[in-house]
Amino acid sequence: MDSRESAGVYALRTYLPSERSSRRGVALCLSGGGYRAALFHLGALRRLNELGLLSQINAISSVSGGSILAAHLADRVRPWPDSGAAIGGWDDRVEAPFHDIAMQNVRTWPILNRLLPWNWLRDSTGVETLASQYERYVTRLKLSDLPDRPRFLINATDLSFGVNWVFDSLTRDAIQGRAGDYQAGYLRPLPSWPLGRAVAASSCFPPVFNPLPLRLRPEQLVGGSYQNADRDRIVAGIRLSDGGVYDNLGLEPVWKTYKAVLVSDGGAVFEPDADRGLFWRLQRYVTIVDSQARALRKRWLISSFIRRDLLGTYWGMRSVAAHYGPHAGYPEALVHEIISKVRTDLDAFTDAEIAVLVNHGYILADTAVQRHLRPLIEDGSLAELTIAPLPARIPFPGWMEEQAVRRALKDSHKVLLLGRRSR
C-alpha cells in the first residue's frame, strides 16, 4: 500500500461513517446544558417512551446535563423493558423523582466549599463536591452497576489530549465496559467509581468548576494511539472537564457505527450583545469560538440527514413545532425570547420552569419523530423500528398559555451568584 492509498484509507476511516450495511442499532444523544437541557430531554424521553421508541434505543450518549438524566434513567429503570414496550409508571418512576432533582441547587455548595481556606490548594475540591451532590440526589450506583442494555456512554473532555473521553458501559469479551479515549488509551473494565463521579466529570463546566484529576497510573490505560516519549507524563496528569467543551451533542462515540442517531439538543444559544469593553471582549472571543464549533457540528449533522449519509432526526431548544406543520407547540416569539434563554445552570428550577421545559421537549421530540423518523420507518430505511399509534398528550397543558409562561419565566435567564434556594 503506497502512502496515497494509506492516506485514503485513513481518511475514509476517520471522516466517514461505516458503510450503512454494517451499522446497527439506534443511538440517542442527550446534549449538555445543565438542568435546562436535562428537563428538555426529560420531556423528549417521555414522548419517546409513549411511542415505544425509548425501549428500542440501543445506546444513550450523554453530555453534562444530559448525563445527569442518563444516570437517573440508569438508576430508575431496571430492568430495561423489552424492545417496543413502554416503561411502565413513567410519572412515579422517572419524571416526578427527576423534578425533585431539578429543584436542588447542586452548584453553589461545591463553589463555596472550594473557597474555604483549607481547600485553596486542593484544585479538585469543587468537582469532587459536585460528585457527592450527584451521589446524594441522583444515584448511588457505581459505574460497574450500569446495565448491559442500553449501552450508556457518558462523555467528558480530556484536557491533556483535547479529545472526547468516554465512560462506556458496553460489555466486550466478558469485560464490563471501559473508560478512556483513543489517544490516551482505555481502562478496562470500568472502574468501580461512583456513577456520580463520571457525571461530575461530564458536567463540571468551566470556569465555575475545576476539571476532575484522574490520578491514574499510565500503565492502566492501554491501546492509545499516542506513544511519544512524553506519554506517561501526560497521561499521569489527565484532567477531565465538561463534555461540552469538546462535543456538546454527544455525537462523537456513536455517529460512525449506529444505523440511526436521534439528537436532543438543549444546549446554550448564542445571543447578540453590545460591546461592553475589554473584559467583555475576552469572554466574547471564547463564546464565539464555542458557538461556531457547535453550529458547525449541527450543520454537518443536519446536512448528513438530508443527504442520508446518516439516518435519524434532530430537535433543539430553539426549534419551533409550527415550522414542521400544524403542531400545537409554543409560538416562535416565546421560544426565541423566553424559553431558549432559560439559564443553562445547576441551580434550583421552579415548577413553572420544569413544566415548560418538559412540554417543549415533549412537543419537539414528537414533531421530529413524526416528520423525519416515521418516513424512514415507512420507506424501509429503518424498518426494524416500530412506533406505537398513541396520540400526543402534552404533559402540563396548563403551562401552554403564552402570557402565563412569559410572566413565570421572565427572570429565568438570570444566573444568580449564590443561586436559588433548593426546595
Side-chain angles (χ1 to χ4, degrees):
M1 180 181 295
D2 63 29
S3 60
R4 287 180 301 175
E5 185 177 3
S6 177
V9 170
Y10 173 82
L12 289 172
R13 185 176 66 249
T14 304
Y15 302 119
L16 291 178
S18 304
E19 289 290 333
R20 190 180 297 177
S21 60
S22 67
R23 286 181 260 152
R24 297 286 184 275
V26 180
L28 172 65
C29 297
L30 304 177
S31 80
Y35 279 157
R36 183 185 83 168
L39 291 163
F40 179 75
H41 302 326
L42 180 64
L45 264 59
R46 179 186 180 115
R47 185 54 178 154
L48 294 182
N49 183 56
E50 291 174 353
L51 295 171
L53 285 168
L54 185 56
S55 62
Q56 298 176 68
I57 297 297
N58 302 99
I60 298 176
S61 179
S62 62
V63 178
S64 195
S67 294
I68 301 172
L69 180 59
H72 175 70
L73 204 63
D75 186 277
R76 304 294 299 190
V77 183
R78 304 172 74 86
W80 198 251
D82 293 336
S83 182
I87 297 167
W90 179 266
D91 285 347
D92 293 336
R93 293 176 66 186
V94 178
E95 184 142 332
F98 197 79
H99 290 194
D100 292 339
I101 292 169
M103 290 177 179
Q104 303 300 321
N105 175 354
V106 299
R107 61 99 161 143
T108 300
W109 172 238
I111 296 170
L112 294 177
N113 194 28
R114 176 179 160 191
L115 296 176
L116 295 174
W118 49 87
N119 288 327
W120 288 354
L121 299 179
R122 300 174 58 192
D123 65 355
S124 65
T125 298
V127 67
E128 294 286 6
T129 307
L130 181 63
S132 69
Q133 296 279 76
Y134 289 144
E135 287 184 69
R136 177 181 179 185
Y137 294 115
V138 181
T139 180
R140 293 190 177 277
L141 292 178
K142 305 289 187 184
L143 280 169
S144 53
D145 295 328
L146 286 170
D148 291 333
R149 179 173 171 269
R151 178 185 184 184
F152 284 90
L153 300 125
I154 296 173
N155 298 284
T157 300
D158 176 347
L159 292 181
S160 294
F161 290 100
V163 296
N164 192 77
W165 174 286
V166 65
F167 297 93
D168 180 358
S169 70
L170 180 66
T171 298
R172 287 195 185 95
D173 303 323
I175 296 176
Q176 180 67 42
R178 62 179 186 168
D181 61 60
Y182 79 96
Q183 290 210 48
Y186 293 92
L187 177 65
R188 293 187 174 94
L190 275 174
S192 58
W193 299 349
L195 177 55
R197 191 165 188 248
V199 175
S202 182
S203 61
C204 56
F205 53 90
V208 175
F209 297 104
N210 280 337
L212 177 72
L214 293 186
R215 302 186 180 94
L216 295 173
R217 300 188 309 277
E219 66 271 17
Q220 290 180 273
L221 298 178
V222 298
S225 64
Y226 190 86
Q227 296 298 326
N228 291 5
D230 57 354
R231 187 246 178 208
D232 286 0
R233 176 181 62 82
I234 294 173
V235 169
I238 285 178
R239 282 169 163 76
L240 302 183
S241 187
D242 188 296
V245 174
Y246 186 82
D247 171 18
N248 199 55
L249 295 182
L251 282 164
E252 191 67 17
V254 298
W255 71 271
K256 290 183 183 178
T257 54
Y258 281 83
K259 188 171 183 180
V261 180
L262 314 183
V263 180
S264 183
D265 181 9
V269 176
F270 182 83
E271 296 291 348
D273 197 4
D275 188 275
R276 287 187 246 147
L278 175 61
F279 292 107
W280 176 90
R281 289 176 208 139
L282 292 174
Q283 182 270 338
R284 195 69 168 175
Y285 297 141
V286 175
T287 301
I288 291 172
V289 170
D290 176 69
S291 176
Q292 67 85 23
R294 295 186 187 194
L296 185 60
R297 196 178 288 269
K298 177 182 168 182
R299 290 172 191 156
W300 159 79
L301 174 69
I302 293 175
S303 66
S304 297
F305 286 153
I306 293 171
R307 292 194 308 264
R308 292 211 172 186
D309 296 335
L310 299 175
L311 301 178
T313 189
Y314 166 96
W315 57 90
M317 182 65 67
R318 280 182 67 89
S319 302
V320 179
H323 290 176
Y324 300 90
H327 296 278
Y330 289 112
E332 181 172 0
L334 182 63
V335 171
H336 290 175
E337 295 168 10
I338 299 293
I339 299 174
S340 68
K341 295 183 180 181
V342 172
R343 63 198 179 280
T344 55
D345 199 358
L346 296 175
D347 194 358
F349 273 54
T350 66
D351 289 326
E353 291 169 335
I354 290 169
V356 171
L357 290 167
V358 169
N359 280 352
H360 194 41
Y362 179 98
I363 293 164
L364 291 175
D366 183 65
T367 301
V369 166
Q370 305 303 338
R371 179 67 182 267
H372 298 295
L373 199 62
R374 187 180 289 277
L376 294 173
I377 295 171
E378 292 175 348
D379 71 14
S381 300
L382 290 173
E384 60 269 39
L385 292 182
T386 60
I387 297 179
L390 190 67
R393 296 175 58 187
I394 293 173
F396 301 97
W399 282 106
M400 291 301 298
E401 199 277 316
E402 180 173 0
Q403 294 308 314
V405 173
R406 284 184 178 275
R407 287 191 298 271
L409 272 62
K410 64 182 176 64
D411 293 325
S412 294
H413 64 288
K414 296 179 180 179
V415 177
L416 304 184
L417 181 61
L418 295 180
R420 294 156 173 84
R421 182 176 296 179
S422 298
R423 290 184 293 145

